[in-house]
Amino acid sequence: MKVKCYIQGMAAISPQSTFEGDVFSAPLVHTDSNLLTCMEPDYKPFIPANSLRRMTRVLKIGLTTALQSIRDSGVEAIGPIVTGTGKGSLQDTEKFIREIEQYKETALNPTPFIQSTYNSVNGLIALQVKGTAYNNTFVHRGFSFENALLDSMMLLAEGASNTLTGAFEEMTAEHFYIKSRIGFWKAAATDSRQLYEQLSPGSIAGEGATFFVLTGTPTSQSKAALTGFKMLYKPTAEKVAAGLSAFKEGIDLVLTGRNGDSRYEHFYQQADVLFPGVPQLPFKHLCGEHDTAGAFGMWLGAQILHRQQIPAGWFPMLKDIPATAGRILLYNHFYGEQHTMMVLERV
Amino acid sequence: MAERVFITGMGMITAIGDNVAENLEQLRQQRSGLGYTSYIDTIYKQVLPVAEVKHPNDALAALAGIALREGYTRTTLLGLTAMREALQQAGITDVQTAPTGFINASTVGGMCDTEKVYFDIVDPAKEGTFLQYIDTLDCADCTQRIADTVGFSEHIATISTACSSSANALMFGARMIKQGFLPRMVCGGTEALTRFTLNGFNSLKNVDKQFCRPFDQQRTGLNLGEGAAYLVLESESFAKANNSRILAEFTGYCNANEAFHPTSPSPEGDGAYEAMKAALAMSGRTLKDVDYINVHGTATLNNDVSEGKALERLFGNDVPLFSSTKPFTGHTLAAAGAIEAIYAVLAIQQGLIFPNLNFTEKMEELNITPVTALMEGVSVNNVISNSFGFGGNNASLVISKYEG
């Protein structure tokens, strides 16, 4: 199969001011609490007030980002809807577990149970856009968004005229604590701007929603093309190197999922060796580490290609920032287990 | 021309049996797996029937052929048991001998074990062996533990689309084969009973206190079940070169969304109608070629009306023989699509139509009634298997007799 698709529209809600306006001119948002939280927009233009009241954060950011990406694309009839989420609605899951305990399994409100279902965001999007085509949700940690992307490219190859493809993730205080017990986060409070200088076990947490409208053929609206794609499950260092090497041709910028975690930094260091002299941008200080951070990386790469500009203000830790790029390699992995590589090109 | 996709192995565990042969025997004997839970800590222990796999976790580990290991949830153990049989039946001793993908499905992942220790996990004052379950809640945990135990290293994915999850896993695997990514895929799902899901469906007021009665006028809801099932899918060229034993052909499928309501199907069954119609069109079969429909048939008030209406709309006065096997296995959520896909293959292989247990009274909204007694010696060439879920997710599969 020919791995190729075009980004027709995109939107991101993230810890940065990425949702509307001239996003690249927005100042860098940072944290020193090891947790980057989403900057939430005004949802009223997107979601009716009566629905909004019942929805938890991940449902709101997921649905709103999806709708914004459709607006951005100019596409009127949305085809298949495919998403990825590692953890789904944590807030609703926690709420329902707690209520079962608290009310001793009686007189429970079903809303958090319904919303805890991993495909509930997809169902909401379908309802709102009256999308009756194919609808699927992938839930595999650092492969969640990437499987949704693969599925979308397969759908385009099978004849779909477009797909709405995205990812969403939320972090809650409780889940942040749970993951701190098994070393997901740095033990010491870290300034997110110094993430890459503070090599130690763990990273900083993040969250966000990112959606794209994809097409199989380019249009005058196309913002970037995805021309290379690879997923590697628990690979050896050699397999990572071989995977990266296969994408060497013409790359003039490497986006990496570097996250300051000393335990898995060696994988990213292979990119340093294989791409000498090619500038690199790390993106986890912008969005934090989470299962679907790769979707944010793809958004950033596509924005850079579309605008032909790199937001220098977002990278105060780097001395030399190139003015622009034409072909970008994105390499990300989730705690050393799910490795993903993508090539993005200017259209 | 895209490759045809064949089913070359099957493995399963449900409340009516630890493997495919035991499931077939209980279906033939018309013996339900419904009863009451031995393993869930719930006030509904003796109140709400469930279809539970009749083994504690250590016995499941033995069935799966492994020593009970740290962090192996019931979801993982059920999955491994079914996986072992599927590979064995397909003659695969080592999945590394040919590139093989694994597409798994689950709705609540390792919730079965994490819910028991959740409040210890979130309590900083507590330490203990419960911490081995700390990262097992999500749906990828069972997929990766099964993959790592068996040795899958090619493409892996986990799908969660509520009750249509494993039907979508089968579809995704078949599409990857057709597009030439991999010649062989193992697809299905695993689901363990949990207090979380039992209370979830009960809070929606759609759990029956009696044994469920699909397509019956007096139905009042579903019974939850647990289990796991995997099917080995192979491309035609791989299956032939490999000299695989072909059990059936996977000829059609469709995933369609209703965009009607988060938890209810549309009254006229628009999504079910669309899914069955498109799956059948893909299979190249006509309405008359369908010999049996294994309906979703949860026995909830809404599903059976809308699914029944969709059958009448699609087939008119000639609705094929149909039944729900949920009274045997309970509603196994993410595993249901794969379990029922195996039942479809068994119907074809054995010439059987399974009875829809507990049916007595025709629904007033419908003109049709399900098969109520086991039928044997039937020529079954094409089966539609339906799985519908929350979020408007509808999936239909067409499984056909293999003919050269």
Side-chain angles (χ1 to χ4, degrees):
Chain A
M1 180 201 132
K2 184 181 68 163
V3 173
K4 190 161 191 173
C5 66
Y6 297 87
I7 297 168
Q8 186 82 14
M10 55 183 158
I13 290 177
S14 76
Q16 305 302 319
S17 182
T18 51
F19 189 68
E20 55 204 337
D22 181 9
V23 297
F24 275 6
S25 65
L28 174 71
V29 175
H30 64 95
T31 178
D32 53 14
S33 65
N34 292 0
L35 170 60
L36 279 162
T37 310
C38 272
M39 193 177 279
E40 293 182 77
D42 178 11
Y43 296 115
K44 282 194 229 75
F46 297 91
I47 306 171
N50 56 343
S51 329
L52 200 52
R53 216 172 32 246
R54 313 176 70 171
M55 289 162 64
T56 51
R57 207 152 49 101
V58 76
L59 276 76
K60 290 190 275 199
I61 63 169
L63 176 57
T64 304
T65 312
L67 297 171
Q68 178 82 335
S69 72
I70 296 170
R71 284 185 192 183
D72 184 56
S73 73
V75 169
E76 279 175 26
I78 280 296
I81 301 169
V82 194
T83 64
T85 179
K87 304 290 177 275
S89 182
L90 284 169
Q91 216 181 313
D92 287 299
T93 307
E94 290 165 5
K95 189 164 189 226
F96 200 63
I97 288 185
R98 209 161 277 285
E99 288 186 354
I100 289 172
E101 193 75 3
Q102 194 174 349
Y103 302 115
K104 309 262 179 267
E105 299 184 79
T106 56
L108 296 169
N109 169 10
T111 302
F113 173 68
I114 296 164
Q115 295 184 161
S116 75
T117 313
Y118 289 82
N119 65 330
S120 63
V121 169
N122 268 42
L124 282 171
I125 300 168
L127 264 180
Q128 188 126 340
V129 305
K130 303 203 171 13
T132 55
Y134 181 94
N135 194 301
N136 207 357
T137 302
F138 291 88
V139 291
H140 198 109
R141 296 186 182 166
F143 281 162
S144 304
F145 169 67
E146 289 75 6
N147 265 300
L149 201 52
L150 174 66
D151 192 357
S152 302
M153 286 190 278
M154 283 165 55
L155 290 161
L156 294 170
E158 289 161 11
S161 60
N162 64 65
T163 66
L164 174 65
T165 306
F168 46 88
E169 219 68 63
E170 72 174 332
M171 182 50 68
T172 62
E174 201 160 282
H175 199 70
F176 183 84
Y177 172 69
I178 289 174
K179 288 294 159 74
S180 75
R181 295 194 81 165
I182 45 173
F184 266 56
W185 323 127
K186 292 189 177 301
T190 307
D191 183 328
S192 54
R193 291 167 298 188
Q194 272 130 43
L195 185 61
Y196 313 111
E197 295 142 46
Q198 310 278 334
L199 273 187
S200 58
S203 186
I204 60 169
E207 57 177 16
T210 313
F211 274 81
F212 303 91
V213 174
L214 305 174
T215 54
T217 47
T219 70
S220 57
Q221 282 265 318
S222 298
K223 297 182 166 76
L226 175 66
T227 58
F229 186 67
K230 190 155 191 74
M231 298 163 72
L232 292 168
Y233 175 58
K234 293 189 178 174
T236 57
E238 291 72 30
K239 274 198 169 174
V240 171
L244 290 169
S245 300
F247 294 126
K248 273 180 97 164
E249 189 70 34
I251 297 296
D252 53 15
L253 182 69
V254 178
L255 280 181
T256 76
R258 278 199 151 91
N259 65 2
D261 191 332
S262 56
R263 299 167 299 178
Y264 310 108
E265 171 71 11
H266 60 280
F267 288 116
Y268 292 118
Q269 284 168 356
Q270 298 215 57
D272 304 345
V273 177
L274 290 164
F275 293 85
V278 178
Q280 286 192 22
L281 297 180
F283 63 84
K284 294 272 168 71
H285 69 290
L286 301 169
C287 65
E289 186 59 275
H290 55 276
D291 300 56
T292 51
F296 180 85
M298 179 164 145
W299 175 90
L300 180 62
Q303 286 286 359
I304 289 170
L305 292 166
H306 176 51
R307 291 160 181 269
Q308 283 298 296
Q309 181 200 343
I310 294 173
W314 287 10
F315 301 94
M317 71 291 287
L318 301 180
K319 274 194 229 81
D320 300 311
I321 296 175
T324 185
R327 186 182 288 188
I328 297 175
L329 174 67
L330 170 63
Y331 169 45
N332 183 43
H333 67 72
F334 188 64
Y335 291 91
E337 295 193 340
Q338 300 89 26
H339 296 244
T340 60
M341 299 163 191
M342 283 180 212
V343 178
L344 294 162
E345 279 179 47
R346 190 181 176 189
V347 181
Chain B
M1 186 72 187
E3 290 247 26
R4 291 162 75 188
V5 176
F6 298 139
I7 296 165
T8 60
M10 311 190 290
M12 72 195 307
I13 180 165
T14 72
I16 58 169
D18 300 341
N19 51 48
V20 175
E22 282 183 30
N23 270 264
L24 175 61
E25 181 58 20
Q26 297 300 305
L27 287 166
R28 274 189 201 276
Q29 299 295 329
Q30 307 184 49
R31 244 181 245 142
S32 165
L34 288 165
Y36 294 90
T37 177
S38 304
Y39 309 117
I40 312 177
D41 175 22
T42 172
I43 60 168
Y44 301 111
K45 236 176 168 67
Q46 295 301 320
V47 182
L48 300 178
V50 292
E52 194 164 57
V53 169
K54 319 276 183 292
H55 303 290
N57 285 5
D58 52 353
L60 281 178
L63 271 174
I66 59 159
L68 191 55
R69 295 180 205 170
E70 190 173 281
Y72 274 50
T73 64
R74 190 169 177 84
T75 317
T76 299
L77 295 168
L78 289 167
L80 265 174
T81 304
M83 175 60 73
R84 203 174 74 134
E85 187 191 11
L87 296 178
Q88 199 170 34
Q89 230 199 66
I92 303 169
T93 46
D94 176 4
V95 291
Q96 292 287 342
T97 54
T100 309
F102 176 35
I103 313 296
N104 194 29
S106 185
T107 69
V108 289
M111 179 63 85
C112 49
D113 293 275
T114 46
E115 69 183 5
K116 293 177 183 157
V117 292
Y118 190 78
F119 295 98
D120 293 335
I121 289 174
V122 297
D123 183 350
K126 294 209 171 156
E127 296 277 347
T129 53
F130 64 82
L131 285 171
Q132 66 187 249
Y133 289 107
I134 197 163
D135 201 24
T136 63
L137 175 62
D138 69 353
C139 298
D141 170 71
C142 57
T143 309
Q144 294 200 168
R145 288 188 199 254
I146 294 167
D148 294 352
T149 307
V150 171
F152 289 106
S153 63
E154 293 286 341
H155 194 86
I156 63 171
T158 313
I159 288 174
S160 195
T161 54
C163 311
S164 63
S165 301
S166 59
N168 278 320
L170 283 158
M171 238 181 263
F172 190 67
R175 290 169 55 229
M176 285 193 75
I177 287 174
K178 285 187 183 183
Q179 296 215 16
F181 283 99
L182 288 164
R184 184 165 73 187
M185 306 288 296
V186 185
C187 308
T190 179
E191 191 80 47
L193 277 166
T194 71
R195 186 158 102 135
F196 188 89
T197 40
L198 187 66
N199 276 286
F201 283 96
N202 195 43
S203 70
L204 279 159
K205 300 191 179 10
N206 55 21
V207 178
D208 197 335
K209 288 194 170 74
Q210 295 172 261
F211 290 178
C212 67
R213 292 153 286 173
F215 282 87
D216 191 280
Q217 175 67 14
Q218 303 303 329
R219 74 196 181 284
T220 57
L222 54 78
N223 306 131
L224 287 179
E226 65 180 356
Y230 296 104
L231 291 90
V232 179
L233 306 181
E234 294 180 0
S235 72
E236 180 174 23
S237 53
F238 178 86
K240 293 204 165 143
N242 191 51
N243 210 13
S244 303
R245 188 167 54 114
I246 297 164
L247 308 175
E249 182 172 355
F250 186 15
T251 53
Y253 44 80
C254 176
N255 160 324
N257 195 278
E258 280 218 309
F260 176 75
H261 185 274
T263 58
S264 291
S266 65
E268 298 297 315
D270 293 341
Y273 174 82
E274 202 45 51
M276 287 190 284
K277 190 178 155 186
L280 199 56
M282 177 190 278
S283 76
R285 271 69 177 172
T286 65
L287 294 172
K288 291 210 178 323
D289 294 329
V290 179
D291 303 300
Y292 169 56
I293 300 172
N294 186 299
V295 291
H296 187 52
T298 53
T300 57
L301 294 178
N302 290 331
N303 176 80
D304 294 5
V305 173
S306 68
E307 189 174 12
K309 292 266 187 196
L311 288 173
E312 292 182 342
R313 281 168 67 191
L314 185 60
F315 292 95
N317 293 325
D318 297 307
V319 174
L321 299 172
F322 74 95
S323 65
S324 166
T325 46
K326 299 284 194 295
F328 285 97
T329 59
H331 187 359
T332 55
L333 307 180
I339 288 171
E340 291 166 29
I342 292 178
Y343 289 171
V345 176
L346 292 177
I348 292 168
Q349 285 184 327
Q350 308 288 327
L352 294 177
I353 306 288
F354 311 117
N356 186 112
L357 303 179
N358 310 331
F359 176 88
T360 51
E361 189 181 345
K362 189 181 82 66
M363 286 165 58
E364 62 182 19
E365 299 91 337
L366 301 176
N367 297 314
I368 51 173
T369 56
V371 172
T372 54
L374 181 78
M375 294 172 67
E376 297 183 82
V378 186
S379 166
V380 183
N381 294 306
N382 298 289
V383 180
I384 295 180
S385 181
N386 286 339
S387 299
F388 308 140
F390 279 8
N393 265 112
N394 292 276
S396 292
L397 312 177
V398 180
I399 294 168
S400 304
K401 185 175 209 154
Y402 171 61
E403 286 162 351

